[in-house]
Amino acid sequence: MTIVDIIKGLKNKHFSCYELIKFLLTKIKQTNKHLNCFITIDYKKALKQANKCDFLRKFNQTNELYGVPIAVKDLFCTKGLKTTCGSKMLKNFIPTYNSTLIEKIQHAGLINIGKTNMDEFAMGSYNEHSFFGRVKNPWNFNLVSGGSSGGSASAISACLIPASLGTDTGGSIRLPSSFCGITGLKTSYGFLSRYGIISYSSSLDQAGPMAHTVKDCAILLNIISGCDKFDSTNINFKTDNYLKYINKSIKGKKIGLPIEYFKNLTSNVSCITQEAIRVFSKLGIKFIDISLPYIDSAISAYYIIASAEAASNLSKYDGIKYGYYKINPKTIEELYVNTRTNGFGKEVKTRILLGTYFLNKSNLFIKAKKIRKLIYNNFIKLFKTVDCIILPTNNYIAKQTQKKNNLNIQEDIYTISVNLAGLPAINIPIGFVKNCPIGLQIITPHFTEHLLLNIAHCYQKHTHWHLNYPNSL
Ligand code: GLN
């Protein structure tokens, strides 16, 4: 069920909130052993809250979202509930406060069922780097779910939860959404509060909703947007009703097709993308060829900036302030070394080493920032002639889980420029290759989430790809 279905079901008393949550928790218990999409499941509290919601609903003392279940990526701090960030370093970390977005969903009455699996510290594209094991793809257990928000994407796709919150530093909402066949929105940098989200790369990280449909993402955005004084990068916007915009006509809008990204597409992805383009043209959209020339340098710039910021952000895991603690170390150095050697996984250590190197070779970091600025300027220029840009989210279907994909960074090429420029982008499902979902990415100018949702929703009104569910479960 989508969030919209659940709201209707609860309102028309087709099921109680307790029945719904109990049903989902049972299903999660059975399914999680196959998919490994949850790290922590909050059985007791979820059922207690469900009872409370049913009680309040009897007296009409609720808004319509009261009792709607959700789960969040395990890097949102949740007061009293383990928050591991997919790492051994934080495997016993219980935050003493809620991140702002958790406060907002709780305030709206949603029930957080648990914390979803992810690549350690959000570093990865396939969800193979979690201390808690890989996440599998419900469409085919031999395939990866995509990362780093793979637990969320897998759980939604398997219908264990209707929606989730993820984060996207270089594609981590969009890529798993594409591999698992769901809708995932990365918002503009500064649009949502990052307060209480465990940082990977602070100038790139941004949160966003993941769900079956664009409409559900709009419902979640209504709740989680709005200014937060605890995050100085959070832009001071008034909250808006994003549902207001989604049905507007998109006739006459101009879509840019970046030639560089369409040149080397695999034939399967190319066919499916062309079909999606045909749907848009039937809706009265005009297409213009555009150029995003910094495609190769974008990868280098992204990995230099992201690793450098990660090396700095992760220095706090020293065994004193945070992190894995070795009892009775003889020296302070022994404490640091043991904590960081045992607490971090291989991928995270690689990034810390790379980042430390890049920060020491300061000309590399400065060059990367210059490339970032060029990418940003190019987007700003392009958006003077087009309303939005579309490109595939990825060029290949999800990979086999058995293969180790060490730092296979080339495939991030489709998603990272958006983060370097701080733009909003959404993944929507547009078809299948060998029973494996494929997604399309839509990008719009900064802080035009309403337009992005509008264009994506119009596509979903005329297609059914977002309504397919895997039958493996
Ligand atoms: N794959 C990219 C990386 O490993 C992006 C990850 C993300 O968006 N969190 O850095």
Side-chain angles (χ1 to χ4, degrees):
M1 283 188 290
T2 62
I3 293 184
V4 172
D5 296 332
I6 291 175
I7 291 173
K8 266 193 218 143
L10 287 172
K11 190 169 159 212
N12 299 330
K13 303 199 167 53
H14 292 150
F15 43 80
S16 72
C17 183
Y18 188 86
E19 282 166 341
L20 173 68
I21 301 288
K22 181 103 199 183
F23 170 78
L24 289 180
L25 287 173
T26 313
K27 202 171 161 193
I28 290 170
K29 210 171 177 180
Q30 292 161 357
T31 317
N32 200 40
K33 40 180 193 277
H34 303 296
L35 294 176
N36 197 25
C37 48
F38 278 87
I39 293 177
T40 304
I41 305 161
D42 202 359
Y43 293 98
K44 253 194 182 157
K45 194 157 164 225
L47 287 170
K48 197 170 151 201
Q49 259 180 288
N51 260 331
K52 187 177 155 203
C53 286
D54 283 332
F55 179 77
L56 291 173
R57 273 181 176 271
K58 263 193 215 150
F59 301 101
N60 283 337
Q61 283 183 353
T62 60
N63 68 46
E64 58 173 19
L65 282 165
Y66 247 79
V68 171
I70 192 168
V72 297
K73 186 176 181 178
D74 205 15
L75 47 51
F76 289 89
C77 283
T78 40
K79 188 174 174 180
L81 184 65
K82 222 166 54 175
T83 301
T84 69
C85 212
S87 182
K88 182 178 179 187
M89 185 65 92
L90 293 175
K91 76 178 191 326
N92 297 318
F93 173 53
I94 300 182
T96 51
Y97 71 105
N98 277 326
S99 61
T100 298
L101 299 195
I102 297 292
E103 282 288 315
K104 286 184 187 256
I105 61 165
Q106 281 186 0
H107 183 73
L110 280 95
I111 298 178
N112 180 22
I113 287 194
K115 310 294 287 289
T116 55
N117 203 346
M118 55 178 286
D119 279 304
E120 185 178 3
F121 284 97
M123 297 172 190
S125 306
Y126 304 111
N127 229 307
E128 298 177 303
H129 301 305
S130 168
F131 172 68
F132 301 92
R134 296 170 182 205
V135 177
K136 292 189 182 160
N137 192 320
W139 289 94
N140 178 344
F141 291 171
N142 294 321
L143 302 181
V144 295
S145 62
S148 62
S149 314
S152 295
S154 175
I156 295 169
S157 172
C159 301
L160 304 180
I161 38 160
S164 183
L165 297 182
T167 58
D168 191 313
T169 306
S172 277
I173 287 180
R174 288 161 288 155
L175 191 62
S177 297
S178 174
F179 283 174
C180 292
I182 64 156
T183 305
L185 169 66
K186 177 232 171 264
T187 53
S188 309
Y189 186 79
F191 187 80
L192 297 175
S193 169
R194 287 183 299 114
Y195 179 71
I197 298 177
I198 297 176
S199 317
Y200 161 17
S201 173
S202 306
S203 76
L204 296 161
D205 297 344
Q206 188 58 206
M210 301 166 80
H212 290 292
T213 65
V214 174
K215 196 168 179 184
D216 280 5
C217 285
I219 291 174
L220 285 178
L221 211 57
N222 283 348
I223 304 166
I224 58 178
S225 57
C227 172
D228 178 16
K229 67 174 190 299
F230 292 127
D231 175 4
S232 60
T233 60
N234 189 207
I235 308 288
N236 190 359
F237 277 125
K238 275 203 223 107
T239 40
D240 203 345
N241 180 1
Y242 291 92
L243 289 171
K244 216 166 64 188
Y245 306 98
I246 59 171
N247 281 311
K248 284 191 173 170
S249 163
I250 52 170
K251 199 168 166 197
K253 294 258 185 265
K254 287 183 232 126
I255 291 189
L257 300 175
I259 42 175
E260 294 83 356
Y261 285 92
F262 281 87
K263 234 174 15 204
N264 298 321
L265 287 185
T266 53
S267 60
N268 287 329
V269 171
S270 174
C271 276
I272 289 172
T273 310
Q274 290 307 329
E275 191 48 48
I277 290 175
R278 268 192 286 280
V279 174
F280 278 118
S281 39
K282 278 192 200 140
L283 297 174
I285 291 260
K286 294 189 176 58
F287 290 93
I288 300 175
D289 280 342
I290 55 164
S291 173
L292 289 172
Y294 306 106
I295 174 164
D296 291 329
S297 350
I299 287 272
S300 316
Y302 169 85
Y303 274 94
I304 290 172
I305 293 170
S307 311
E309 291 185 12
S312 167
N313 271 327
L314 270 57
S315 63
K316 62 178 166 283
Y317 303 104
D318 56 6
I320 297 173
K321 290 189 284 296
Y322 286 100
Y324 193 80
Y325 191 72
K326 176 157 186 306
I327 303 157
N328 294 332
K330 288 194 196 71
T331 61
I332 189 85
E333 196 179 339
E334 192 185 314
L335 172 70
Y336 291 163
V337 171
N338 280 328
T339 298
R340 293 169 72 78
T341 306
N342 295 319
F344 288 135
K346 194 169 160 232
E347 181 68 22
V348 174
K349 282 183 205 159
T350 309
R351 307 281 183 113
I352 292 175
L353 284 174
L354 281 174
T356 309
Y357 173 77
F358 293 141
L359 286 171
N360 281 315
K361 296 267 171 202
S362 61
N363 61 336
L364 281 181
F365 189 67
I366 290 165
K367 271 190 192 168
K369 291 190 70 165
K370 284 184 180 165
I371 292 167
R372 183 177 191 173
K373 186 72 181 162
L374 286 172
I375 291 168
Y376 175 93
N377 288 346
N378 191 47
F379 273 117
I380 299 286
K381 198 174 93 199
L382 287 172
F383 282 127
K384 291 199 172 118
T385 52
V386 297
D387 298 291
C388 81
I389 295 171
I390 61 174
L391 64 150
T393 306
N394 49 290
N395 197 6
Y396 300 94
I397 57 166
K399 294 190 182 307
Q400 302 277 327
T401 38
Q402 292 87 346
K403 283 193 202 139
K404 193 89 188 136
N405 301 291
N406 272 341
L407 258 184
N408 196 349
I409 56 180
Q410 277 308 321
E411 284 182 36
D412 289 342
I413 214 157
Y414 295 89
T415 49
I416 50 172
S417 299
V418 161
N419 302 73
L420 288 168
L423 294 163
I426 195 165
N427 173 78
I428 48 170
I430 56 163
F432 290 86
V433 174
K434 297 184 201 139
N435 198 34
C436 182
I438 287 287
L440 181 84
Q441 224 183 144
I442 309 175
I443 309 165
T444 55
H446 294 103
F447 305 114
T448 58
E449 275 71 1
H450 57 283
L451 173 65
L452 187 57
L453 293 166
N454 177 207
I455 295 170
H457 179 67
C458 286
Y459 176 86
Q460 289 194 341
K461 273 206 306 196
H462 293 88
T463 55
H464 61 273
W465 302 113
H466 56 291
L467 299 175
N468 287 291
Y469 304 109
N471 50 19
S472 59
L473 297 160

Coordinates of all heavy atoms in Angstrom, one line a residue, residues 133-212:
G133 N 26.0 -6.6 7.0 CA 25.8 -7.5 5.9 C 25.1 -6.8 4.7 O 24.6 -5.7 4.8
R134 N 25.2 -7.4 3.5 CA 24.6 -6.8 2.3 C 23.1 -6.8 2.3 O 22.5 -7.6 3.0 CB 25.0 -7.7 1.1 CG 26.5 -7.7 0.9 CD 26.8 -8.7 -0.1 NE 28.3 -8.7 -0.3 CZ 28.9 -9.1 -1.4 NH1 28.2 -9.5 -2.4 NH2 30.2 -9.1 -1.4
V135 N 22.5 -5.9 1.6 CA 21.1 -5.8 1.4 C 20.8 -6.4 0.1 O 21.5 -6.1 -0.9 CB 20.6 -4.4 1.5 CG1 19.1 -4.3 1.2 CG2 20.9 -3.7 2.8
K136 N 19.7 -7.2 0.0 CA 19.4 -7.9 -1.3 C 18.2 -7.2 -1.9 O 17.4 -6.5 -1.3 CB 19.1 -9.3 -1.0 CG 20.4 -10.1 -0.6 CD 20.2 -11.5 -0.6 CE 21.5 -12.2 -0.1 NZ 21.2 -13.5 0.4
N137 N 18.1 -7.4 -3.2 CA 17.1 -6.8 -4.1 C 15.9 -7.7 -4.1 O 16.0 -8.8 -4.5 CB 17.7 -6.6 -5.5 CG 16.9 -5.6 -6.3 OD1 15.7 -5.7 -6.3 ND2 17.5 -4.8 -7.1
P138 N 14.7 -7.2 -3.7 CA 13.5 -8.0 -3.7 C 13.1 -8.5 -5.1 O 12.4 -9.6 -5.2 CB 12.4 -7.1 -3.2 CG 13.1 -5.9 -2.7 CD 14.4 -5.8 -3.3
W139 N 13.6 -7.9 -6.2 CA 13.3 -8.4 -7.5 C 14.1 -9.6 -7.9 O 13.7 -10.4 -8.7 CB 13.5 -7.3 -8.5 CG 12.5 -6.2 -8.4 CD1 12.7 -5.0 -7.7 CD2 11.2 -6.2 -9.0 NE1 11.5 -4.3 -7.8 CE2 10.6 -5.0 -8.6 CE3 10.5 -7.0 -9.8 CZ2 9.3 -4.6 -8.9 CZ3 9.2 -6.7 -10.2 CH2 8.7 -5.5 -9.7
N140 N 15.2 -9.8 -7.2 CA 16.0 -10.9 -7.5 C 17.1 -11.0 -6.4 O 17.9 -10.1 -6.3 CB 16.7 -10.8 -8.9 CG 17.6 -11.9 -9.2 OD1 18.0 -12.7 -8.3 ND2 18.0 -12.1 -10.4
F141 N 17.0 -12.0 -5.5 CA 17.9 -12.0 -4.3 C 19.4 -12.1 -4.7 O 20.2 -11.9 -3.9 CB 17.5 -13.2 -3.4 CG 16.2 -13.1 -2.7 CD1 15.7 -14.2 -2.1 CD2 15.5 -11.9 -2.8 CE1 14.5 -14.1 -1.4 CE2 14.3 -11.8 -2.2 CZ 13.8 -12.9 -1.5
N142 N 19.7 -12.4 -5.9 CA 21.1 -12.5 -6.3 C 21.6 -11.1 -6.7 O 22.8 -11.0 -7.0 CB 21.3 -13.5 -7.5 CG 21.0 -14.9 -7.1 OD1 21.3 -15.3 -6.0 ND2 20.3 -15.6 -8.0
L143 N 20.8 -10.1 -6.7 CA 21.2 -8.8 -7.2 C 21.3 -7.9 -6.0 O 20.6 -8.0 -5.0 CB 20.2 -8.2 -8.2 CG 20.0 -9.0 -9.5 CD1 19.0 -8.3 -10.4 CD2 21.3 -9.3 -10.2
V144 N 22.2 -6.9 -6.1 CA 22.3 -5.9 -5.0 C 21.1 -4.9 -5.0 O 20.4 -4.8 -6.0 CB 23.6 -5.0 -5.2 CG1 24.9 -5.9 -5.0 CG2 23.6 -4.3 -6.5
S145 N 20.9 -4.3 -3.9 CA 19.8 -3.4 -3.8 C 20.2 -2.0 -4.3 O 19.3 -1.1 -4.5 CB 19.4 -3.2 -2.3 OG 20.4 -2.7 -1.6
G146 N 21.5 -1.7 -4.4 CA 21.9 -0.4 -4.7 C 22.2 0.3 -3.3 O 21.7 -0.2 -2.3
G147 N 23.0 1.3 -3.3 CA 23.3 2.0 -2.0 C 23.5 3.5 -2.2 O 23.5 4.0 -3.3
S148 N 23.7 4.2 -1.1 CA 23.8 3.6 0.2 C 22.5 3.4 1.0 O 22.5 2.7 2.0 CB 24.8 4.4 1.1 OG 24.2 5.7 1.3
S149 N 21.4 4.0 0.4 CA 20.1 3.9 1.2 C 19.4 2.6 0.7 O 18.2 2.6 0.5 CB 19.2 5.1 0.9 OG 19.9 6.3 1.1
G150 N 20.2 1.5 0.5 CA 19.6 0.3 0.0 C 18.6 -0.4 0.9 O 17.6 -1.0 0.4
G151 N 18.8 -0.3 2.2 CA 17.8 -1.0 3.1 C 16.4 -0.3 2.9 O 15.4 -1.0 2.8
S152 N 16.4 1.0 2.8 CA 15.1 1.7 2.6 C 14.5 1.3 1.3 O 13.3 1.0 1.2 CB 15.3 3.2 2.6 OG 15.8 3.6 3.9
A153 N 15.3 1.3 0.2 CA 14.7 1.0 -1.1 C 14.2 -0.4 -1.2 O 13.1 -0.7 -1.7 CB 15.8 1.2 -2.2
S154 N 15.0 -1.4 -0.6 CA 14.6 -2.8 -0.6 C 13.3 -3.0 0.2 O 12.4 -3.7 -0.2 CB 15.7 -3.6 0.0 OG 15.4 -4.9 0.1
A155 N 13.2 -2.4 1.4 CA 12.0 -2.5 2.2 C 10.8 -2.0 1.6 O 9.7 -2.5 1.7 CB 12.3 -1.9 3.6
I156 N 10.9 -0.8 0.9 CA 9.7 -0.3 0.2 C 9.3 -1.1 -0.9 O 8.1 -1.5 -1.1 CB 10.0 1.2 -0.3 CG1 10.3 2.1 0.9 CG2 8.8 1.7 -1.1 CD1 10.8 3.5 0.5
S157 N 10.3 -1.5 -1.7 CA 10.0 -2.4 -2.9 C 9.3 -3.7 -2.5 O 8.4 -4.2 -3.1 CB 11.3 -2.6 -3.6 OG 11.2 -3.5 -4.6
A158 N 9.8 -4.3 -1.3 CA 9.2 -5.5 -0.9 C 7.9 -5.3 -0.1 O 7.3 -6.2 0.5 CB 10.2 -6.2 0.0
C159 N 7.4 -4.0 -0.1 CA 6.1 -3.7 0.6 C 6.2 -3.9 2.1 O 5.2 -4.3 2.7 CB 4.9 -4.4 0.0 SG 4.8 -3.9 -1.8
L160 N 7.3 -3.8 2.7 CA 7.4 -3.9 4.2 C 7.1 -2.6 4.9 O 6.7 -2.6 6.0 CB 8.8 -4.4 4.6 CG 9.3 -5.7 3.9 CD1 10.7 -6.0 4.4 CD2 8.4 -6.8 4.2
I161 N 7.3 -1.5 4.1 CA 7.0 -0.2 4.6 C 6.5 0.6 3.4 O 7.0 0.4 2.3 CB 8.2 0.5 5.3 CG1 9.5 0.2 4.5 CG2 8.3 0.3 6.7 CD1 10.6 1.2 4.8
P162 N 5.6 1.6 3.6 CA 5.2 2.4 2.4 C 6.2 3.5 2.0 O 6.3 3.9 0.9 CB 3.9 3.0 2.9 CG 4.0 3.1 4.4 CD 4.9 2.0 4.8
A163 N 7.1 3.9 3.0 CA 8.0 5.0 2.7 C 9.1 5.1 3.7 O 9.1 4.4 4.7 CB 7.2 6.3 2.8
S164 N 10.1 5.8 3.3 CA 11.3 5.9 4.2 C 12.0 7.3 3.9 O 11.7 8.0 3.0 CB 12.3 4.8 3.8 OG 13.4 4.8 4.7
L165 N 12.9 7.6 4.8 CA 13.8 8.8 4.6 C 15.2 8.2 4.3 O 15.7 7.4 5.1 CB 13.8 9.7 5.8 CG 12.5 10.3 6.3 CD1 12.8 11.2 7.5 CD2 11.9 11.1 5.1
G166 N 15.8 8.8 3.3 CA 17.2 8.4 3.0 C 18.1 9.6 2.9 O 17.6 10.7 3.1
T167 N 19.3 9.4 2.5 CA 20.2 10.5 2.2 C 21.0 10.3 1.0 O 21.1 9.1 0.6 CB 21.2 10.8 3.4 OG1 22.0 9.6 3.6 CG2 20.6 11.2 4.7
D168 N 21.4 11.3 0.3 CA 22.0 11.3 -1.0 C 23.2 12.2 -1.0 O 23.0 13.4 -1.0 CB 20.9 11.6 -2.0 CG 21.3 11.3 -3.5 OD1 22.5 11.7 -3.8 OD2 20.5 10.8 -4.2
T169 N 24.4 11.7 -1.0 CA 25.6 12.5 -1.1 C 26.1 12.5 -2.5 O 26.7 13.5 -3.0 CB 26.7 11.9 -0.2 OG1 26.1 11.7 1.1 CG2 27.9 12.7 -0.1
G170 N 25.9 11.4 -3.2 CA 26.4 11.3 -4.6 C 25.5 10.4 -5.4 O 25.9 9.9 -6.5
G171 N 24.3 10.1 -4.9 CA 23.3 9.2 -5.6 C 22.6 8.2 -4.8 O 21.9 7.4 -5.2
S172 N 22.9 8.3 -3.5 CA 22.4 7.2 -2.6 C 20.9 7.1 -2.3 O 20.5 6.1 -1.8 CB 23.1 7.3 -1.2 OG 24.4 6.8 -1.3
I173 N 20.1 8.1 -2.8 CA 18.7 7.9 -2.8 C 18.3 7.4 -4.2 O 17.5 6.4 -4.3 CB 17.9 9.2 -2.4 CG1 18.1 9.5 -1.0 CG2 16.5 9.1 -2.8 CD1 17.4 10.8 -0.5
R174 N 18.8 8.0 -5.2 CA 18.4 7.7 -6.6 C 18.8 6.3 -7.1 O 18.0 5.6 -7.7 CB 18.9 8.8 -7.5 CG 18.2 10.1 -7.3 CD 19.0 11.3 -7.8 NE 20.2 11.6 -7.0 CZ 21.3 12.2 -7.5 NH1 21.4 12.5 -8.7 NH2 22.3 12.4 -6.7
L175 N 20.0 5.9 -6.8 CA 20.5 4.6 -7.4 C 19.8 3.4 -6.8 O 19.3 2.6 -7.5 CB 22.0 4.5 -7.2 CG 22.7 3.4 -8.0 CD1 22.5 3.5 -9.5 CD2 24.1 3.2 -7.6
P176 N 19.7 3.3 -5.5 CA 18.9 2.2 -4.9 C 17.4 2.2 -5.3 O 16.8 1.2 -5.5 CB 19.1 2.2 -3.4 CG 19.6 3.6 -3.1 CD 20.3 4.1 -4.4
S177 N 16.9 3.5 -5.5 CA 15.5 3.6 -5.9 C 15.4 3.0 -7.3 O 14.4 2.4 -7.7 CB 15.0 5.1 -5.9 OG 15.1 5.6 -4.6
S178 N 16.3 3.3 -8.2 CA 16.3 2.8 -9.5 C 16.4 1.3 -9.5 O 15.6 0.6 -10.2 CB 17.5 3.4 -10.3 OG 17.6 2.9 -11.6
F179 N 17.4 0.7 -8.8 CA 17.6 -0.7 -8.8 C 16.4 -1.5 -8.2 O 16.1 -2.6 -8.6 CB 18.8 -1.1 -7.9 CG 20.1 -0.8 -8.6 CD1 21.3 -1.0 -7.9 CD2 20.2 -0.4 -10.0 CE1 22.6 -0.8 -8.5 CE2 21.4 -0.2 -10.6 CZ 22.6 -0.4 -9.9
C180 N 15.7 -0.8 -7.3 CA 14.6 -1.5 -6.6 C 13.2 -1.1 -7.1 O 12.2 -1.6 -6.7 CB 14.6 -1.3 -5.1 SG 16.0 -2.1 -4.3
G181 N 13.2 -0.2 -8.1 CA 11.9 0.1 -8.8 C 11.0 1.0 -7.9 O 9.8 0.8 -7.9
I182 N 11.6 2.0 -7.2 CA 10.7 2.9 -6.4 C 11.0 4.3 -6.8 O 11.9 4.6 -7.6 CB 10.9 2.7 -4.9 CG1 12.3 3.0 -4.4 CG2 10.5 1.2 -4.5 CD1 12.4 3.4 -3.0
T183 N 10.3 5.3 -6.1 CA 10.5 6.7 -6.4 C 11.4 7.3 -5.2 O 11.1 7.0 -4.1 CB 9.1 7.4 -6.4 OG1 8.3 6.7 -7.4 CG2 9.3 8.9 -6.8
G184 N 12.4 8.0 -5.6 CA 13.3 8.6 -4.5 C 13.7 10.0 -4.9 O 14.2 10.3 -6.0
L185 N 13.5 10.9 -3.9 CA 13.8 12.3 -4.2 C 14.9 12.8 -3.4 O 15.0 12.7 -2.2 CB 12.5 13.1 -3.8 CG 12.7 14.6 -3.7 CD1 12.9 15.2 -5.1 CD2 11.4 15.3 -3.2
K186 N 15.9 13.3 -4.1 CA 17.0 14.1 -3.4 C 16.7 15.5 -3.5 O 16.5 16.1 -4.6 CB 18.4 13.8 -4.2 CG 19.5 14.5 -3.6 CD 20.3 15.3 -4.7 CE 21.3 16.2 -4.1 NZ 20.9 17.6 -3.9
T187 N 16.6 16.2 -2.4 CA 16.2 17.6 -2.4 C 17.4 18.5 -2.7 O 18.6 18.1 -2.6 CB 15.5 18.0 -1.1 OG1 16.4 17.6 0.0 CG2 14.2 17.2 -0.9
S188 N 17.1 19.8 -2.9 CA 18.2 20.8 -3.1 C 19.0 20.9 -1.9 O 18.5 20.7 -0.7 CB 17.6 22.2 -3.3 OG 16.6 22.2 -4.3
Y189 N 20.3 21.2 -2.0 CA 21.2 21.3 -0.8 C 20.6 22.5 0.0 O 20.4 23.6 -0.6 CB 22.6 21.6 -1.2 CG 23.5 21.6 0.0 CD1 23.9 20.4 0.6 CD2 23.9 22.8 0.5 CE1 24.7 20.5 1.7 CE2 24.7 22.9 1.7 CZ 25.1 21.7 2.2 OH 25.9 21.7 3.4
G190 N 20.4 22.3 1.2 CA 19.9 23.4 2.1 C 18.3 23.4 2.2 O 17.8 24.1 3.0
F191 N 17.7 22.5 1.5 CA 16.2 22.4 1.5 C 15.7 21.8 2.8 O 14.7 22.2 3.4 CB 15.7 21.7 0.3 CG 14.2 21.7 0.1 CD1 13.6 22.8 -0.5 CD2 13.4 20.6 0.5 CE1 12.3 22.8 -0.6 CE2 12.1 20.7 0.4 CZ 11.5 21.8 -0.2
L192 N 16.4 20.7 3.2 CA 15.9 20.0 4.5 C 17.0 20.1 5.5 O 18.2 20.2 5.2 CB 15.7 18.5 4.2 CG 14.5 18.2 3.2 CD1 14.5 16.7 2.9 CD2 13.2 18.7 3.7
S193 N 16.6 20.1 6.8 CA 17.6 20.1 7.8 C 18.5 18.9 7.9 O 18.0 17.8 7.8 CB 16.9 20.3 9.2 OG 17.8 20.1 10.2
R194 N 19.8 19.1 8.1 CA 20.7 17.9 8.2 C 21.0 17.7 9.7 O 21.8 16.9 10.1 CB 22.0 18.2 7.5 CG 21.8 18.1 6.0 CD 23.1 18.2 5.2 NE 23.7 19.5 5.4 CZ 24.8 19.8 6.1 NH1 25.5 18.8 6.6 NH2 25.3 21.0 6.3
Y195 N 20.4 18.5 10.6 CA 20.7 18.4 12.0 C 20.3 16.9 12.5 O 19.2 16.5 12.3 CB 19.8 19.4 12.8 CG 20.1 19.4 14.3 CD1 21.3 19.8 14.9 CD2 19.1 18.9 15.1 CE1 21.5 19.7 16.2 CE2 19.3 18.8 16.5 CZ 20.5 19.2 17.0 OH 20.7 19.2 18.4
G196 N 21.3 16.3 13.1 CA 21.1 15.0 13.6 C 21.2 13.9 12.6 O 20.9 12.7 12.9
I197 N 21.7 14.2 11.4 CA 22.0 13.2 10.4 C 23.5 13.0 10.5 O 24.3 13.9 10.4 CB 21.6 13.6 9.0 CG1 20.1 13.9 8.9 CG2 22.1 12.6 8.0 CD1 19.6 14.4 7.6
I198 N 24.0 11.7 10.7 CA 25.4 11.5 10.8 C 26.1 11.8 9.4 O 25.7 11.4 8.4 CB 25.7 10.0 11.2 CG1 25.0 9.8 12.6 CG2 27.2 9.7 11.2 CD1 25.1 8.3 13.1
S199 N 27.1 12.7 9.5 CA 27.7 13.3 8.3 C 28.6 12.3 7.6 O 29.4 11.6 8.2 CB 28.5 14.5 8.6 OG 27.8 15.3 9.5
Y200 N 28.6 12.4 6.3 CA 29.6 11.8 5.4 C 30.4 12.9 4.8 O 31.5 13.2 5.2 CB 28.9 10.9 4.4 CG 29.7 10.5 3.2 CD1 31.0 10.6 3.1 CD2 29.0 9.9 2.1 CE1 31.7 10.2 1.9 CE2 29.7 9.5 0.9 CZ 31.0 9.7 0.9 OH 31.7 9.3 -0.3
S201 N 29.7 13.7 3.9 CA 30.4 14.8 3.3 C 29.5 16.0 3.4 O 28.5 16.1 2.6 CB 30.7 14.5 1.8 OG 31.2 15.6 1.2
S202 N 29.8 16.9 4.3 CA 28.8 17.9 4.7 C 28.3 18.9 3.6 O 27.2 19.4 3.7 CB 29.3 18.7 5.9 OG 29.7 17.8 6.9
S203 N 29.2 19.1 2.6 CA 28.8 20.1 1.6 C 28.0 19.4 0.5 O 27.5 20.0 -0.5 CB 30.0 20.8 1.0 OG 30.7 19.9 0.1
L204 N 27.8 18.0 0.6 CA 27.1 17.3 -0.4 C 25.9 16.5 0.1 O 24.9 16.3 -0.6 CB 28.1 16.2 -1.1 CG 29.3 16.7 -1.8 CD1 30.3 15.7 -2.0 CD2 28.9 17.3 -3.2
D205 N 25.9 16.1 1.4 CA 24.8 15.3 2.0 C 23.5 16.1 1.9 O 23.5 17.3 2.2 CB 25.1 15.1 3.5 CG 26.4 14.3 3.8 OD1 26.9 13.6 2.9 OD2 26.8 14.3 5.0
Q206 N 22.5 15.4 1.6 CA 21.1 15.9 1.7 C 20.1 14.8 1.8 O 20.3 13.7 1.2 CB 20.9 16.8 0.4 CG 19.6 17.6 0.4 CD 19.5 18.6 1.6 OE1 18.4 18.9 2.0 NE2 20.5 19.1 2.2
A207 N 19.1 15.0 2.6 CA 18.1 14.0 2.8 C 17.0 14.1 1.8 O 16.9 15.0 1.0 CB 17.6 14.1 4.2
G208 N 16.1 13.1 1.8 CA 14.9 13.1 1.0 C 14.0 11.9 1.2 O 14.5 10.9 1.8
P209 N 12.8 12.0 0.7 CA 11.8 10.9 0.9 C 12.0 9.8 -0.2 O 12.3 10.1 -1.3 CB 10.5 11.6 0.8 CG 10.7 12.8 0.0 CD 12.1 13.2 0.2
M210 N 11.7 8.6 0.2 CA 11.6 7.5 -0.8 C 10.3 6.8 -0.6 O 9.9 6.6 0.6 CB 12.8 6.5 -0.4 CG 14.1 7.2 -0.5 SD 15.4 6.1 0.2 CE 15.8 5.0 -1.1
A211 N 9.6 6.4 -1.7 CA 8.3 5.8 -1.5 C 7.9 5.2 -2.9 O 8.7 5.1 -3.8 CB 7.2 6.9 -1.2
H212 N 6.7 4.6 -3.0 CA 6.3 4.0 -4.2 C 6.0 5.1 -5.3 O 6.3 5.0 -6.4 CB 5.0 3.2 -4.1 CG 5.3 1.9 -3.3 ND1 6.0 0.9 -3.8 CD2 4.9 1.5 -2.1 CE1 6.1 -0.1 -2.9 NE2 5.4 0.3 -1.8

